[in-house]
Amino acid sequence: MSTAIAPADAPESTPAPERARGLRRLLRPGAAVVAGLMLFLSFPPRPLWWLALPAFALLGWTLRGRRPRAGFGLGYLAGLGFLLPLLVWTGEEVGPLPWVALAAVSALFVGAVGLGIALVSRLPAWPVFAAAVWVLGEAARARVPFGGFPWGKIAFGQADGVFLPLAAVGGTPVLGFAVALCGFGLYEVLRLVLARRAAARTRTEEQEAAPAPTTARGPLLAAALAVLVPVTGALAALPLVSDAPEDGTATVAAVQGNVPRLGLDFNSQRRAVLDNHANRTRELAAAVKAGKEPQPDFVLWPENSSDIDPYANADAYQVIDEAVREVNAPTVIGAVIAPETGKLRNTLIQWNPGKGPVAEYDKRHVQPFGEYIPMRSFVRLFSSDVDRVRRDFGAGGKVGVFDLAGTKVGLATCYEAAFDWAVRDTVTHGAQLITVPSNNATFGRSEMTYQQLAMSRVRAVEHSRSVVVPVTSGVSAIIRPDGTVVAKTEMFTPDVLVEKVPLRSSLTPATRMGTLPEALLVAVAVAGLGWSVTRSVRARRARTA
């Protein structure tokens, strides 16, 4: 009998089992990143809303049964996979550092969610608790730090999805909860079905001869309900989605004047931006006089359509006043007001023909690191771009509702559209229509404008209001209360949209209940986390007894 002996200089090879173990260690981290990327791909401008479901299913597989520390790491990887590509527009003109920093900090909240899901994943009906934990994470991210950053809420990727009617039931928290619950439920159904099949295959021949044991069907039924209830709930909520006029209609014009060129430098050409919007308004007036366009009841300009303070500059005042006189309709002007002392104001001005300015709304939620710089001296150590914001903006304190020719118009300026409260309280203060004037010229041709438009579509359904989005250079749009876009512009193209839209005054359940649905879902998440921790403590005591 001969024995083969390997040459002494033969290279040592890694045993196959070790290589397999190494690959298995990378499997879940890789799956977490893929789940995050799928969440990103579910957002506009791609009509792939449904990708959120397999994304949550994959995330459920990644996190179920993990230890809390591993859950945090896997959740953080998913957060980076989701938020790094979603927020790339934040570095459009200031480089990658602010973009990466924002995504990295925001992903910490997703990491905390991963920890929470790992904890509750051993509970009965865990998909319910896991989806509630996701809502808890979004609620925290929408509030801290610096007033929060809710961009990337799962609900904002569902403007084309079948779950959208749930926005009218309980706002973005209920809509996001339903999507996450359905995704986690899909994974749990698949897991239980495969487990049952594996158990059946392992039965011995002797067991097969005997009657098959009765298996518990409760967990499978609960998992199936996690899938069916959100879908059924969305179908049941369809009657809440209506674009029928309750208070008649209004003919509205949205002006997109465009900017001279891309990037932050457009601020150095403020007069050109103002002239662009005034000229488009004059062209609209000429088209109305020629019978080519209907007479608008009111006209909406974007945020920062006059970066020149019309109160301090007589020529700017005259340009605006003449344009408003020519179109002969109340016009909302987005202006930067620069008092002699104190902070700047990002202000919407109601400008009536023959009367001039008659009402103002100061943006209430100004954007940190964009409109004001928190911890300026500290942040300057990392980027000198903070000094582009030479003078901070201050926040207003009053809800914005203008009476424009008899129509109550709610005002949410740009960034405010991402915050539930900033849109809802305009409706509870009587708004029959909502406008979201925005300036996104800073973000070039990125996906930012499409993400923001999707938010406005969700808000339209959430509050059953027409929403008008006039922007300086992105995609301006007019949206009906059922979320459909009836008119929109191209990016960086001067244009005017004129449409007749329904006016409504009834309140959806989401509007009436306000933060209650979110609070209830947060309570479910906290209860699940508490239950999980209690079970772990009891199990540890039992092992050491």
Side-chain angles (χ1 to χ4, degrees):
M1 180 176 177
S2 62
T3 304
I5 300 175
D9 58 349
E12 294 184 5
S13 59
T14 303
E18 288 187 15
R19 288 200 302 270
R21 282 196 295 271
L23 290 174
R24 283 198 295 270
R25 290 192 191 101
L26 296 176
L27 190 57
R28 288 185 188 271
V33 173
V34 171
L37 287 171
M38 291 171 71
L39 286 178
F40 159 67
L41 292 173
S42 73
F43 274 67
R46 293 159 297 276
L48 304 177
W49 60 270
W50 51 268
L51 271 179
L53 300 180
F56 278 111
L58 183 59
L59 190 63
W61 174 81
T62 304
L63 295 171
R64 186 181 181 278
R66 299 299 95 190
R67 292 182 177 179
R69 185 168 60 181
F72 178 85
L74 293 169
Y76 190 71
L77 288 175
L80 290 177
F82 173 33
L83 294 169
L84 273 172
L86 186 79
L87 303 178
V88 67
W89 50 268
T90 60
E92 184 75 17
E93 291 294 330
V94 293
L97 182 60
W99 156 50
V100 173
L102 176 61
V105 171
S106 298
L108 290 172
F109 290 88
V110 187
V113 167
L115 184 155
I117 292 174
L119 281 172
V120 302
S121 65
R122 291 182 172 87
L123 298 178
W126 70 267
V128 175
F129 295 108
V133 168
W134 184 273
V135 173
L136 171 61
E138 288 191 336
R141 188 159 63 91
R143 289 168 172 81
V144 292
F146 310 118
F149 186 73
W151 212 282
K153 270 189 167 186
I154 292 302
F156 295 147
Q158 296 296 307
D160 291 306
V162 298
F163 299 102
L164 181 60
L166 290 171
V169 176
T172 59
V174 168
L175 176 53
F177 173 78
V179 175
L181 177 60
C182 194
F184 289 137
L186 283 172
Y187 162 65
E188 183 67 355
V189 167
L190 181 61
R191 185 186 74 83
L192 291 174
V193 168
L194 292 178
R196 288 166 67 93
R197 289 182 177 179
R201 286 196 300 267
T202 57
R203 292 176 60 208
T204 63
E205 292 182 2
E206 291 80 6
Q207 289 173 322
E208 288 178 356
T214 302
T215 57
R217 296 183 179 179
L220 184 57
L221 177 60
L225 287 174
V227 177
L228 294 175
V229 168
V231 176
T232 305
L235 294 175
L238 279 172
L240 296 174
V241 182
S242 173
D243 64 353
E246 295 175 332
D247 304 317
T249 60
T251 300
V252 58
V255 177
Q256 177 170 303
N258 202 14
V259 297
R261 64 173 180 262
L262 304 183
L264 287 172
D265 288 341
F266 86 94
N267 283 314
S268 65
Q269 305 174 58
R270 297 176 299 167
R271 180 54 189 266
V273 175
L274 171 57
D275 288 342
N276 283 353
H277 288 86
N279 291 338
R280 299 293 83 73
T281 304
R282 291 193 186 97
E283 290 172 3
L284 170 61
V288 170
K289 186 176 293 186
K292 296 179 181 179
E293 292 285 1
Q295 170 65 45
D297 294 308
F298 51 89
V299 178
L300 302 172
W301 286 17
E303 176 191 33
N304 300 144
S305 44
S306 177
D307 270 344
I308 304 174
D309 185 346
Y311 299 133
N313 296 271
D315 56 340
Y317 188 105
Q318 184 177 357
V319 167
I320 296 170
D321 197 60
E322 289 177 354
V324 174
R325 283 175 181 269
E326 286 190 38
V327 79
N328 195 32
T331 303
V332 176
I333 310 296
V336 173
I337 306 302
E340 291 185 3
T341 60
K343 297 181 177 180
L344 299 172
R345 292 158 49 204
N346 188 340
T347 302
L348 300 177
I349 304 172
Q350 179 180 343
W351 206 293
N352 286 359
K355 295 182 179 180
V358 297
E360 293 180 355
Y361 167 69
D362 292 333
K363 188 176 182 181
R364 291 176 291 160
H365 200 310
V366 292
Q367 182 182 356
F369 305 103
E371 292 172 303
Y372 77 100
I373 305 297
M375 307 180 300
R376 184 181 287 267
S377 58
F378 175 75
V379 176
R380 190 182 291 114
L381 297 175
F382 301 93
S383 175
S384 61
D385 284 322
V386 299
D387 292 324
R388 293 190 181 189
V389 183
R390 296 184 181 90
R391 185 176 175 186
D392 287 343
F393 281 81
K398 294 182 179 180
V399 178
V401 179
F402 286 168
D403 186 334
L404 301 179
T407 298
K408 297 291 184 64
V409 177
L411 311 167
T413 306
C414 194
Y415 183 58
E416 292 181 322
F419 294 87
D420 295 346
W421 60 268
V423 181
R424 181 176 58 245
D425 62 9
T426 69
V427 179
T428 58
H429 280 70
Q432 300 164 295
L433 175 146
I434 299 167
T435 184
V436 184
S438 303
N439 174 22
N440 43 34
T442 303
F443 306 114
R445 296 185 179 275
S446 69
E447 294 184 358
M448 181 270 188
T449 189
Y450 300 104
Q451 294 170 11
Q452 191 175 53
L453 178 59
M455 290 180 191
S456 296
R457 294 180 61 193
V458 172
R459 299 302 185 197
V461 174
E462 180 180 8
H463 301 293
S464 194
R465 295 293 187 272
S466 298
V467 179
V468 182
V469 186
V471 302
T472 50
S473 57
V475 178
S476 298
I478 297 178
I479 306 163
R480 295 178 72 86
D482 61 359
T484 58
V485 177
V486 293
K488 65 178 182 178
T489 67
E490 298 296 327
M491 294 180 69
F492 290 95
T493 303
D495 206 348
V496 178
L497 304 176
V498 183
E499 290 289 336
K500 182 181 288 187
V501 296
L503 302 177
R504 295 177 61 84
S505 56
S506 62
L507 302 182
T508 64
T511 309
R512 292 179 185 277
M513 289 190 292
T515 59
L516 180 60
E518 182 181 62
L520 291 175
L521 290 172
V522 167
V524 171
V526 172
L529 293 169
W531 186 10
S532 177
V533 170
T534 301
R535 284 172 47 130
S536 297
V537 170
R538 288 176 177 173
R540 192 178 301 115
R541 288 175 178 173
R543 287 194 299 269
T544 57

